[in-house]
Amino acid sequence: EDQVTQSPEALRLQEGESSSLNCSYTVSGLRGLFWYRQDPGKGPEFLFTLYSAGEEKEKERLKATLTKKESFLHITAPKPEDSATYLCAVQSRGSARQLTFGSGTQLTVLP
Amino acid sequence: DAGVIQSPRHEVTEMGQEVTLRCKPISGHDYLFWYRQTMMRGLELLIYFNNNVPIDDSGMPEDRFSAKMPNASFSTLKIQPSEPRDSAVYFCASSAQAGGRYGYTFGSGTRLTVV
């Protein structure tokens, strides 16, 4: 059974204070690892897909990296508008085409 | 494109009543997913369709839940009879590929409250 664990559950940062979110996963062959951002009252918004260990993707102040056991979402010099819940999900080769989500990290960036 | 459209945004109903949630996927997307989100369990897949055909419904919690996709532009999730433990946010998502390079596009969700 695919499992995804995200840490920390909540993170409070000062504006400009860089940090990283962690996503540990267990899958029977990784097809893809996904990062989403979710704002209150809205659906998850797609950020990145990573396919193999060593791969990195960047978007503005966000950079996602992948190893064989975990993924990190690095946030550089965050701004208050980066406040949201960040969700990690995996899709495995052995299962059907669904995504298995972690419980998310709630990020608050204070001005 | 207007994105994935779900209706209603909010639904409050009494226990035992029938509830129908609706979803219009993005045109051209051939995969459609129904997810449920709660504080305790996070996002859980209920069922997904490929080209209007249900592929995996193993996440549907009980026979009280049913889903249909009569055509490529419309899907429904029905709960009959509803119970308080069904209270959650229900999301519909669609994808042109099964979670490939561009991920899934989610709707804004339907917040269901069963009293």
Side-chain angles (χ1 to χ4, degrees):
Chain A
E1 182 180 336
D2 302 340
Q3 290 189 333
V4 180
T5 303
Q6 292 188 245
S7 62
E9 290 186 10
L11 181 63
R12 293 168 67 91
L13 300 174
Q14 290 294 135
E15 184 172 1
E17 180 186 1
S18 301
S19 188
S20 296
L21 313 182
N22 177 264
C23 170
S24 298
Y25 64 90
T26 304
V27 296
S28 55
L30 182 69
R31 183 187 299 271
L33 184 140
F34 300 76
W35 282 99
Y36 283 83
R37 168 191 171 127
Q38 186 174 23
D39 292 296
K42 295 188 176 181
E45 176 187 351
F46 172 73
L47 293 173
F48 306 109
T49 307
L50 302 167
Y51 295 99
S52 57
E55 188 175 1
E56 298 183 353
K57 293 277 181 70
E58 286 190 65
K59 180 179 181 180
E60 297 181 354
R61 295 175 292 282
L62 301 177
K63 183 169 80 171
T65 61
L66 181 65
T67 72
K68 289 186 177 180
K69 294 183 178 180
E70 57 190 353
S71 177
F72 292 93
L73 185 65
H74 307 278
I75 305 175
T76 302
K79 298 181 178 182
E81 53 261 43
D82 294 322
S83 298
T85 295
Y86 291 85
L87 298 164
C88 172
V90 296
Q91 187 183 58
S92 66
R93 296 185 185 280
S95 68
R97 301 283 187 163
Q98 70 266 30
L99 298 182
T100 299
F101 282 86
S103 55
T105 293
Q106 185 175 9
L107 174 66
T108 303
V109 182
L110 303 171
Chain B
D1 199 317
V4 176
I5 300 173
Q6 291 187 246
S7 64
R9 287 297 313 274
H10 302 276
E11 177 79 40
V12 180
T13 190
E14 291 185 348
M15 182 174 61
Q17 296 297 307
E18 177 179 296
V19 176
T20 299
L21 312 182
R22 298 172 176 80
C23 174
K24 176 179 169 57
I26 291 174
S27 177
H29 282 190
D30 49 11
Y31 284 86
L32 184 139
F33 305 82
W34 282 100
Y35 279 84
R36 177 170 69 175
Q37 187 174 40
T38 61
M39 289 293 293
M40 290 296 294
R41 301 175 67 87
L43 270 167
E44 302 174 285
L45 178 71
L46 300 176
I47 185 171
Y48 82 93
F49 296 82
N50 180 23
N51 292 322
N52 312 337
V53 176
I55 303 299
D56 185 351
D57 65 354
S58 60
M60 297 284 262
E62 329 178 2
D63 291 344
R64 298 184 297 106
F65 286 69
S66 62
K68 294 182 179 180
M69 192 165 186
N71 56 63
S73 60
F74 184 66
S75 177
T76 60
L77 178 67
K78 184 178 294 185
I79 308 173
Q80 166 64 21
S82 57
E83 297 182 2
R85 59 194 168 119
D86 301 330
S87 297
V89 181
Y90 291 80
F91 288 104
C92 175
S94 70
S95 174
Q97 311 172 45
R101 186 175 307 276
Y102 306 107
Y104 301 168
T105 302
F106 282 79
S108 296
T110 295
R111 180 174 295 277
L112 174 65
T113 303
V114 183
V115 298

